[in-house]
Amino acid sequence: MKFGLRYCNTGRYTDPARAVELVQAGEAAGFESAWTVEHTVIPRGYQSAYPYTADGRLPGGEGDFVLPDPLIWMAYVAAATTCINLATGILILPQHNPVICAKQVATLDAMSGGRVLLGIGVGWLKEEFDAIGVPFADRGRRTDEYIAAMRALWSQDVPSYHGDYVNFTDAFMRPKPKRGAVPIIIGGQTPPAARRAGRLAQGFFPGRGVPVELIDLVRRTAIEHSRDPAEVEITVSVPDDLTELPRLAGLGVTRVLVPVTGVIGLRGTIRGPDDVLAWHDAIERYAGV
């Protein structure tokens, strides 16, 4: 069982010094990864329903919600750490130009020594898509194509890709990711997200709880597409009772994430670097689960 910190670019950790303290403490305690989250803008008065609260509103308000760009935040703390993985959980992929995003992610991965995990989602906030100038309705199809285009740029020596949304021929791109690719993890708490993970990804990260039916759907979809279900790593929220971890491992869960703030509607269990360091014994105890 691996442990990660969630969502590190929120709350007090939007401060550069505190961000570094947090992730350095996580590295010292044995946390495997530090996860970020993304919204580029939150338009005032949005009507889209946030899927993880009863009232459909994003916790933390609108105008006062400080949220640094996840890739830039990760690059900043990467320079102050050596081994902890840096993850987006999630980056809203259809809002990004996939060629530019592939370059940014590959550069960060190469310069950090291969420590990037790219968690992606299709997004839910239509008003944000409108502000960025990206169609909302076809975001799922865009996401599938963007994944394929980015992988071509990462893996091919002379990359080419031709699709409905992305087209390039013999487009040299350097540097390549350290390991030749960056693991892609699909975030979301819906059947389409689970099926996308089973078809295309190295991981699945439902936003809340342990939705067994979605985990099962990931596995079934992987088999339907001639993939080994074990290739899709399952990441979930840390349970309140750590003695539940063996049961989660039996369900195929291999990583749990510990909230570092309550900004995005989760119960923050960490108040600062000292609390992070206090997890060392638990991480050691359950490492072999």
Side-chain angles (χ1 to χ4, degrees), residues 41-231:
V41 294
I42 302 174
R44 176 179 290 173
Y46 64 87
Q47 297 300 304
S48 300
Y50 180 61
Y52 300 114
T53 57
D55 64 0
R57 307 302 293 174
L58 184 70
E62 297 174 3
D64 59 349
F65 192 79
V66 179
L67 189 62
D69 178 274
L71 296 178
I72 293 177
W73 189 98
M74 288 158 60
Y76 186 85
V77 301
T81 54
T82 58
C83 63
I84 192 168
N85 288 320
L86 303 165
T88 54
I90 50 77
L91 181 116
I92 308 169
L93 185 59
Q95 293 182 353
H96 293 258
N97 179 299
V99 178
I100 295 174
C101 187
K103 176 77 168 203
Q104 293 171 325
V105 171
T107 301
L108 177 54
D109 188 75
M111 296 188 73
S112 66
R115 291 193 279 146
V116 176
L117 307 174
L118 187 64
I120 64 168
V122 301
W124 60 272
L125 184 54
K126 180 181 182 298
E127 292 84 352
E128 183 178 30
F129 279 75
D130 294 343
I132 293 171
V134 174
F136 184 73
D138 62 2
R139 66 196 189 283
R141 294 190 300 276
R142 283 181 182 274
T143 295
D144 290 354
E145 190 168 300
Y146 286 11
I147 290 171
M150 291 171 69
R151 283 176 168 160
L153 289 162
W154 292 336
S155 64
Q156 296 175 16
D157 188 52
V158 187
S160 296
Y161 184 86
H162 302 287
D164 294 331
Y165 305 104
V166 191
N167 282 279
F168 53 84
T169 301
D170 296 346
F172 293 103
M173 194 198 81
R174 301 286 189 277
K176 301 294 189 184
K178 178 75 172 180
R179 297 154 292 180
V182 174
I184 290 179
I185 299 164
I186 303 298
Q189 198 116 1
T190 65
R195 287 192 289 267
R196 181 170 287 110
R199 284 189 293 113
L200 299 175
Q202 286 73 52
F204 177 56
F205 169 39
R208 299 289 191 275
V210 186
V212 175
E213 69 285 356
L214 293 181
I215 295 173
D216 288 342
L217 181 56
V218 170
R219 292 184 177 133
R220 293 197 306 273
T221 305
I223 292 169
E224 289 167 3
H225 288 80
S226 302
R227 301 186 65 205
D228 181 353
E231 295 177 357

Side-chain angles (χ1 to χ4, degrees), residues 232-257:
V232 187
E233 188 171 53
I234 306 298
T235 299
V236 302
S237 303
V238 69
D240 291 336
D241 183 356
L242 294 184
T243 63
E244 285 285 296
L245 290 177
R247 182 184 69 83
L248 297 187
L251 296 173
V253 173
T254 56
R255 182 189 291 113
V256 292
L257 302 185

